[in-house]
Amino acid sequence: MDQNRETISDLVKIDGVTTTLTLTYAGKLSWNDGDSQRSLTIEKEVLGFSIQGSRIFLKTIVEKSDGSCCVGGKGALVRKSFAFEPLSESSLQLWSNMIRQKLDSLGTGNGMAKSLLDTVGQPCTALYAVLAIIRGHRRSLDVATILQGDTRFYSVLMLAWGLVADIDIESEKFRWMGSARMDFYALLRIIHLRTYNGQLYFLPAPGYEAFGNKIGGQSFECVGDSCTHRPNQGVPIKIQQHGNRHSSIDLQNLNWKKIDGPFVSVWLHNVPWASEDTMAAPDAKFADGYLDLIIMRTCSKLSLLALMIELNNGNHVKSPDVLYLKVKAFILEPGSRTADPSREGIIDSDGEVLARGKGAYKCKQKSLMTYGKLQITVDQGLATLFSPI
């Protein structure tokens, strides 16, 4: 048995024939079947697994091919069962643990399902989610539009920059650890804490006008639904509205506010839960027309550790180190790391990388947007969800 952070590889029996089965840290199972190489990708093709006696059965959905089980062909998707038999009890236990960890690691989010089921006190499991769909109850959901130039991204869960984004994206390198990767990397990032320069501009919801510094309507020039904001006489930002217009807001005449960095973390949330054990925005509503904004500007490492513990019940927002408010529109102007101006950060939305700055994790990979100014506006109740009630 070869077991390290990248792969495990062992002799198993498949259809009575002994062969080598390999599982990579990225979640790819591969083996030789006669003269051909077979493979399965856990993220895309494995629905679940069970243990029956000394064999492990994988429930898969694959493209129909020439009748063989798991070859990458072109055609309709069909359900298949793939079985293999480890040669010892210890090997059986190890394989089942590794496959379970891989499947669990794909579900480190589930923030939307958790938010829906938590409203009625139900556990966040596939069974209760399916029951909600079968019952057919529906509820509206706000949709955020993230805009940079002509590029748009529609978000239903969250946007993050700073500590939260770094943990979410950079912890991918530890996927082999399963769901524990988040806690491990959060601790690592707190020990080696980063802060980022930058500015935030936002339209506060009613009742939150005391947050931030007023910048004045004169900073905006609007024609119809399109406004140009010129902070510090720099490059203008186009402020636009998109989507289904149930109601409009006057972007020019409302009181825009500003908060200057540096920042430890900036987190915009549409629903209460970010994952099954992280209540990021306890006051968030599904269709109130606002996003919940959680900001940490400065925070000691010890205080930050205490805050991370409070994430499971939402009490972190009560800390004097956290600003928690609701906004209707938002502009993020991200900057470099304070300790190293040659390196920048990551902007993350709904688990997807929107932008990678210079020197950031996998910064050479192409991303949807550039690491620069972007805006977020909200369309109230634009989407519809199946809900327990």
Side-chain angles (χ1 to χ4, degrees):
M1 166 79 61
D2 172 30
Q3 182 184 1
N4 53 50
R5 87 168 191 91
E6 294 189 347
T7 65
I8 64 169
S9 186
D10 196 16
L11 290 175
V12 301
K13 286 185 179 180
I14 300 175
D15 295 330
V17 177
T18 300
T19 186
T20 300
L21 181 66
T22 299
L23 173 63
T24 69
Y25 84 101
K28 183 178 181 180
L29 277 168
S30 59
W31 68 98
N32 285 317
D33 183 8
D35 296 327
S36 60
Q37 182 75 16
R38 308 283 183 171
S39 65
L40 280 170
T41 303
I42 288 181
E43 181 176 6
K44 296 181 179 179
E45 296 170 303
V46 177
L47 302 176
F49 80 101
S50 62
I51 300 173
Q52 299 179 23
S54 61
R55 294 197 294 173
I56 295 176
F57 286 79
L58 299 180
K59 300 174 183 178
T60 72
I61 183 166
V62 296
E63 289 185 333
K64 187 177 181 180
S65 55
D66 57 0
S68 56
C69 171
C70 303
V71 66
K74 297 295 182 182
L77 293 176
V78 295
R79 290 179 179 269
K80 294 282 186 178
S81 180
F82 165 65
F84 66 94
E85 182 179 0
L87 302 186
S88 68
E89 181 63 30
S90 61
S91 180
L92 174 69
Q93 188 64 40
L94 179 59
W95 276 106
S96 63
N97 288 340
M98 293 301 294
I99 293 172
R100 182 177 292 108
Q101 288 178 15
K102 291 297 180 185
L103 289 170
D104 288 345
S105 71
L106 302 177
T108 53
N110 295 329
M112 187 64 69
K114 173 66 175 182
S115 296
L116 287 164
L117 294 167
D118 187 66
T119 59
V120 292
Q122 293 178 350
C124 185
T125 65
L127 172 61
Y128 282 99
V130 171
L131 285 175
I133 295 171
I134 293 172
R135 288 170 179 149
H137 297 298
R138 299 179 183 182
R139 72 187 310 160
S140 297
L141 176 72
D142 294 340
V143 176
T145 299
I146 304 169
L147 181 70
Q148 187 182 71
D150 294 327
T151 304
R152 301 175 195 171
F153 186 92
Y154 296 98
S155 169
V156 296
L157 186 64
M158 66 88 175
L159 177 138
W161 171 58
L163 177 64
V164 173
D166 291 347
I167 293 171
D168 192 20
I169 301 304
E170 293 179 11
S171 66
E172 292 286 334
K173 69 184 77 172
F174 299 107
R175 266 197 177 271
W176 56 273
M177 296 179 65
S179 58
R181 68 184 174 95
M182 290 290 197
D183 294 334
F184 170 77
Y185 197 69
L187 179 60
L188 192 64
R189 280 274 53 85
I190 290 172
I191 293 172
H192 304 284
L193 189 62
R194 302 167 181 163
T195 57
Y196 292 89
N197 295 306
Q199 290 82 38
L200 310 179
Y201 304 87
F202 58 91
L203 288 175
Y208 296 90
E209 294 87 354
F211 289 88
N213 300 313
K214 186 175 180 179
I215 59 176
Q218 68 273 15
S219 299
F220 295 85
E221 298 175 0
C222 299
V223 178
D225 285 339
S226 178
C227 298
T228 300
H229 175 223
R230 301 177 182 274
N232 301 325
Q233 304 301 315
V235 179
I237 304 172
K238 295 289 185 178
I239 310 297
Q240 299 174 327
Q241 289 181 262
H242 300 279
N244 186 17
R245 294 295 154 258
H246 298 297
S247 61
S248 61
I249 58 173
D250 187 340
L251 294 171
Q252 181 172 13
N253 295 325
L254 290 177
N255 293 323
W256 282 85
K257 297 296 188 75
K258 178 183 179 182
I259 296 178
D260 292 312
F263 300 97
V264 171
S265 178
V266 174
W267 207 357
L268 272 171
H269 239 272
N270 196 31
V271 294
W273 292 86
S275 65
E276 293 181 46
D277 57 0
T278 302
M279 184 185 279
D283 295 339
K285 309 298 181 185
F286 288 93
D288 62 355
Y290 301 105
L291 294 172
D292 286 41
L293 177 59
I294 308 104
I295 302 171
M296 283 188 287
R297 296 176 69 190
T298 58
C299 190
S300 70
K301 295 179 182 180
L302 187 59
S303 297
L304 193 51
L305 281 171
L307 283 177
M308 299 303 278
I309 295 173
E310 297 287 353
L311 278 170
N312 64 350
N313 56 26
N315 284 337
H316 62 289
V317 301
K318 299 176 182 178
S319 168
D321 295 315
V322 175
L323 297 179
Y324 181 47
L325 64 150
K326 290 179 179 286
V327 301
K328 179 63 180 179
F330 180 81
I331 298 170
L332 171 62
E333 194 173 322
S336 62
R337 299 181 193 176
T338 56
D340 186 354
S342 67
R343 307 188 75 176
E344 296 172 326
I346 295 170
I347 302 173
D348 164 31
S349 179
D350 294 3
E352 300 291 333
V353 175
L354 288 187
R356 301 177 194 267
K358 60 185 179 182
Y361 176 65
K362 293 187 177 180
C363 60
K364 293 184 179 180
Q365 289 190 2
K366 186 177 181 180
S367 53
L368 184 65
M369 298 180 178
T370 61
Y371 188 77
K373 301 171 186 175
L374 53 82
Q375 75 160 74
I376 301 96
T377 54
V378 187
D379 285 304
Q380 186 172 7
L382 185 58
T384 302
L385 296 172
F386 286 110
S387 174
I389 57 173

